[in-house]
Amino acid sequence: AHANDGGGSIRIPAASCGVFGLKPSRGRLPYAEAGATPPPIEISVNHAVTMSVRDSIALFQASEALDGGYPALGKIEPLSQRLRIGFAPEPIGGTALHPDTRAALEDVAQLCRDLGHTVVDYTLAMDGPKFTDAFVLYWAAGAAGFAREVSAFSGKPIGPDIVEPWTLGLAAMAEARQGEIPETIGYLLGFEAQYHSFFEEIDLILTPVTGSPAVPIGEQAPDGDFDAVMESVLRFVAYTSPMNAAGAASMSVPLAWSPSGLPIGAMFSGRKGDDALLFELALELEAARPWAD
């Protein structure tokens, strides 16, 4: 199934549904229409969620943009080298991690050790609350721009007749903090170098994809109370956005289930351009702990 990821929307559905989802590096697959004006920060990428790693690789190879400065993906085999993996289970924004998700990721870390990888405890050297606030504000600015486009297209004023309450709330946030947006864009552009500095002593980062297994239907409904939905979203979407700001490769691998039977994805993230490395590791993990059945 096609998916795009501007803050986690390949990896989060994959984790919630027990399937595989890789977020490509920025520029690896086509995204914008030719000639379209790019946004200040290109956080979104296209790809898919798939049952198998094989199919994700095949679609990637069939659709990759070979004019983006990357070599072609080439033939992908299960990983042969052993990696140094930084295990960073704590949510970046300071929210709580669900005990089922924590136990599942501890188990995945042990699986990696059993496969011969070195897994070390790791803390991301970043101001998580500051980053989260900046990313949400950038998202809100996008929602405000969308609301203006819908208003222009429909000829109706921005309001509940043309966009949902969630979008209205984000647009109002952006309007109230309009003066902060240029500085926010500068901060997020500078974050790419900070993110890539994480990999001076490790090869990949292992984290949960979300702060808990999937939340009940309706908890994040776009017509719910804005503050309550935002609180739930920030608890749930607690890991995925740094890779969007950095343009880095990241994937959700369905390696665990909660005691109540909900799938729990494990997120492995690398640098910009580490797509092949992630696919190779995914093939190794899929062979070690098959999930398709």
Side-chain angles (χ1 to χ4, degrees):
H2 168 258
N4 57 39
D5 193 317
S9 296
I10 289 173
R11 293 159 290 165
I12 293 167
S16 297
C17 297
V19 294
F20 178 74
L22 179 133
K23 182 197 95 64
S25 300
R26 181 184 291 133
R28 284 302 298 257
L29 299 187
Y31 185 75
E33 293 181 18
T37 302
I41 312 166
E42 294 185 272
I43 60 172
S44 293
V45 292
N46 274 319
H47 192 36
V49 294
T50 59
M51 288 289 290
S52 68
V53 180
R54 175 202 66 188
D55 287 355
S56 186
I57 293 169
L59 180 62
F60 191 108
Q61 291 170 328
S63 57
E64 62 185 321
L66 298 178
D67 57 354
Y70 298 100
L73 188 65
K75 185 173 177 59
I76 301 294
E77 301 284 356
L79 189 68
S80 57
Q81 70 190 95
R82 297 301 86 187
L83 302 176
R84 184 173 174 85
I85 298 172
F87 181 41
E90 300 305 324
I92 62 169
T95 53
L97 176 59
H98 194 286
D100 289 351
T101 302
R102 185 180 296 277
L105 267 291
E106 292 280 1
D107 176 62
V108 171
Q110 186 57 49
L111 171 64
C112 292
R113 294 186 190 98
D114 293 343
L115 291 170
H117 300 289
T118 299
V119 180
V120 296
D121 292 335
Y122 193 74
T123 300
L124 302 182
M126 60 183 289
D127 185 335
K130 178 180 180 179
F131 174 87
T132 300
D133 180 69
F135 196 85
V136 170
L137 180 56
Y138 184 70
W139 248 84
F146 174 75
R148 289 191 294 270
E149 290 175 4
V150 176
S151 176
F153 179 79
S154 66
K156 298 179 180 179
I158 296 172
D161 288 344
I162 62 169
V163 289
E164 292 170 312
W166 172 249
T167 304
L168 287 177
L170 288 170
M173 175 193 295
E175 183 65 28
R177 300 178 61 185
Q178 185 69 34
E180 301 174 47
I181 291 174
E183 183 179 349
T184 294
I185 290 171
Y187 166 75
L188 291 173
L189 286 170
F191 179 75
E192 181 175 333
Q194 182 182 355
Y195 173 87
H196 284 89
S197 72
F198 299 162
F199 298 91
E200 292 173 359
E201 297 181 357
I202 58 173
D203 298 305
L204 295 176
I205 299 168
L206 169 61
T207 69
V209 180
T210 56
S212 70
V215 299
I217 292 172
E219 182 175 315
Q220 296 176 3
D223 59 354
D225 176 78
F226 179 80
D227 290 336
V229 172
M230 178 64 78
E231 182 180 353
S232 175
V233 167
L234 291 180
R235 280 198 312 270
F236 191 61
V237 186
Y239 298 92
T240 49
S241 55
M243 299 79 196
N244 295 89
S250 181
M251 67 180 180
S252 175
V253 189
L255 296 172
W257 296 78
S258 75
S260 61
L262 291 173
I264 297 174
M267 188 165 75
F268 294 86
S269 302
R271 289 157 286 209
K272 186 193 292 186
D274 275 348
D275 309 75
L277 178 64
L278 290 180
F279 274 137
E280 290 168 353
L281 176 60
L283 285 174
E284 180 186 28
L285 294 168
E286 185 180 35
R289 187 176 289 183
W291 57 74
D293 294 333

